[in-house]
Each structure stands twice: as structure tokens, then as C-alpha cells.
Amino acid sequence: MAKTAGGLVLVAERADAIVGIIAVTVDPVDRRLATSQVLAVAPDHRREYIGYNLKLEALRRCARSDVAIMASEVDVHNTAMRRCNDCFGASTRPEMTDPDLLLSVVRLAT
């Protein structure tokens, strides 16, 4: 795990290979807002709850840092990510500028 000045990066490893990653940035003006910039899992390791666990840990760490909301953009066809966000009670709406993107927002208990 690497903590950056404005967020964090979490990495999942199996047998010394990176199999998943999440990167989160915190808004520099309003530190209560964060954006999940990327969440990716290696194809051979999908359906192992790696993405879910990475997002869960990122949400936990953000909540400890007083982040209240984490947002992410999800391709409308990315069913796996949409379901993952649903597990966290995300509110999802179409992105106003791109019909192929959804904006998902998770409220954190702080």
C-alpha cells in the first residue's frame, strides 16, 4: 500500500504477482470527498472478491480520514463493478456528459 499526498493506492498480491489495484484521490479543496480513480483485477483472478476487498479497505481507510463520500465513474456495461458498488449501497446515476458512464457515490460512515 502506498499513501500519496492526496489519496492512496492499494495493491493485492498473490504469489509475488500483482493481481489487483485501487487508486483513490481525495479532493484537495474538500477533504470529505474522494474519487476512486481505478479499480482493476487481473483477468485470471476475477470472481475471487479481490476488487470487493480492495474497495472495502479503501472505504475503511477513507472513513478513518474523515472522507464522507467516495465517487467513481463506471462504464454502463461493466456489470461486475456495478454489482460491487451495489454491495456498498452506492447511489448510481447516469453521467450527464457521457451516456456510457454511470456516476456511483458511496456514503461512508464517519
Side-chain angles (χ1 to χ4, degrees), residues 11-33:
V11 175
E13 294 180 282
R14 295 261 171 91
D16 296 325
I18 293 174
V19 297
I21 188 167
I22 188 169
V24 177
T25 57
V26 177
D27 187 294
V29 175
D30 187 345
R31 310 270 315 150
R32 297 170 302 153
L33 307 175

Side-chain angles (χ1 to χ4, degrees), residues 56-75:
L56 177 61
E57 184 59 23
L59 288 165
R60 285 178 177 156
R61 291 177 189 221
C62 283
R64 286 195 303 261
S65 297
D66 296 325
V67 170
I69 294 174
M70 183 186 292
S72 61
E73 289 182 336
V74 180
D75 185 280

